[in-house]
Amino acid sequence: MLKDEGSMTGHPYRTILTERTETGVAIVTLNRPEVLNAFNEAMRADFARLWTEVREDPSVKAVVLRAAGDKAFSTGLDVTERTGNSDSPWLDKDAPWDEKEDPGHQLSPKRNGVWKPVVAAVQGMCAGGAFYWITECDIVVCSPEATFFDPHVTYGMVAALEPIALSYRMHFSETLRMALLGLYERMTAETAKSAGLVTEIVPRDELHDHALKLAEAIASQPAAAVQGTVKAMWQSLDRTRAQALDTALMYTQVGNPLGAEGLDRKSAKPAKWWTR
């Protein structure tokens, strides 16, 4: 059963909707369907606040990230909102090589220190800056008509931030093909699955319920074990194999006693398991 519909703290967000379940899952919905859920400054601010709240609220065990409307999960940056003397609100033409903030920093759960698992449910188009979310979700499921592409090069822009993040998620050759072909090709759901970007293709009318089911299953398990697993796996990407294994040992030494404390192993097992 859902509760606290509309906002996690009672202060409404401007561009996203939030719901809470009694099973410890926060459901976050991108809510700009009129512009294909493209993100703007208001959405960046909403997500900066959201990830802080998710990180600091112990009652939130997992997150489902989804989008309103049928046409798109998100098409990335809303290019209709521009400031200054450039087509990009993050470029100063007078000092183009000064260090600037990555425009997607606030959107990404792991870059905001969120080690609670995030399950993404993708329908329609998923393009460009939308990968700030997708590449940092722990499980991504999509509907059969979902498509994935990166339009940067076609529009004369370097495709770098999103493809680099994608290259940790799916095959390098597929990532480079997507980046270089731009708007000339869209990756299908089936190709995204074979490339490792998504784990499962779910009928559109079942997509959101299925994502919630996955998140609730994860949330039902000891939080210390779940979050330690998420953190160890993601941080291993930035380390050599030996360093990752040394760090992982620390997580098991700390997280295992906490996660298993007082746990009835027999009752912890699900009555029925899934296959796929």
Side-chain angles (χ1 to χ4, degrees):
M1 180 179 295
L2 299 176
K3 61 180 181 179
D4 298 335
E5 189 168 338
S7 172
M8 292 182 67
T9 60
H11 302 289
Y13 296 97
R14 290 178 289 174
T15 65
I16 59 178
L17 302 175
T18 63
E19 304 168 50
R20 296 280 295 277
T21 74
E22 294 175 347
T23 51
V25 177
I27 302 173
V28 180
T29 305
L30 309 182
N31 193 37
R32 303 186 77 219
E34 70 282 0
V35 290
L36 302 177
N37 294 310
F39 70 83
N40 58 0
E41 281 294 295
M43 186 174 282
R44 294 202 321 146
D46 280 346
F47 267 94
R49 174 182 151 203
L50 171 83
W51 293 134
T52 298
E53 293 174 356
V54 167
R55 186 178 64 244
E56 296 179 355
D57 187 345
S59 70
V60 176
K61 310 294 185 185
V63 178
V64 169
L65 181 63
R66 64 189 194 185
D70 295 319
K71 293 182 178 180
F73 174 83
S74 174
T75 53
L77 174 66
D78 186 348
V79 297
T80 66
E81 296 192 12
R82 295 170 176 166
T83 59
N85 63 347
S86 169
D87 286 347
S88 169
W90 294 281
L91 173 64
D92 180 355
K93 286 186 175 180
D94 295 329
W97 302 116
D98 283 356
E99 292 294 332
K100 296 292 190 296
E101 181 185 51
D102 181 347
H105 176 84
Q106 289 94 337
L107 307 178
S108 306
K110 303 303 182 288
R111 293 178 70 182
N112 285 274
V114 174
W115 305 115
K116 299 176 182 183
V118 183
V119 179
V122 177
Q123 84 284 352
M125 293 180 285
C126 181
F131 294 121
Y132 282 116
W133 289 295
I134 298 304
T135 55
E136 290 199 9
C137 288
D138 302 283
I139 298 176
V140 181
V141 297
C142 72
S143 56
E145 86 291 344
T147 57
F148 304 83
F149 58 100
D150 187 346
H152 283 91
V153 166
T154 303
Y155 291 136
M157 296 181 284
V158 173
L161 294 168
E162 295 89 345
I164 289 172
L166 274 170
S167 69
Y168 286 86
R169 186 86 197 204
M170 65 181 194
H171 305 326
F172 183 85
S173 58
E174 291 283 12
T175 302
L176 195 55
R177 176 174 176 139
M178 178 190 290
L180 293 176
L181 284 173
L183 287 173
Y184 282 88
E185 182 174 85
R186 295 189 181 189
M187 178 179 286
T188 65
E190 288 289 349
T191 302
K193 184 173 183 293
S194 67
L197 181 57
V198 305
T199 64
E200 197 173 0
I201 300 171
V202 183
R204 179 67 183 91
D205 60 352
E206 301 174 16
L207 182 64
H208 289 174
D209 287 343
H210 188 69
L212 178 59
K213 181 172 71 172
L214 293 172
E216 287 182 327
I218 296 169
S220 71
Q221 301 172 112
V226 169
Q227 293 170 33
T229 298
V230 171
K231 189 171 185 178
M233 290 297 292
W234 280 94
Q235 289 193 338
S236 74
L237 297 177
D238 298 323
R239 293 169 167 82
T240 67
R241 179 178 178 275
Q243 290 170 332
L245 289 172
D246 287 344
T247 304
L249 179 62
M250 177 190 69
Y251 284 123
T252 61
Q253 290 171 336
V254 174
N256 288 2
L258 292 174
E261 184 178 359
L263 182 68
D264 182 341
R265 286 178 176 268
K266 187 174 181 180
S267 64
K269 294 179 180 179
K272 185 178 181 181
W273 58 85
W274 306 326
T275 60
R276 67 178 179 92

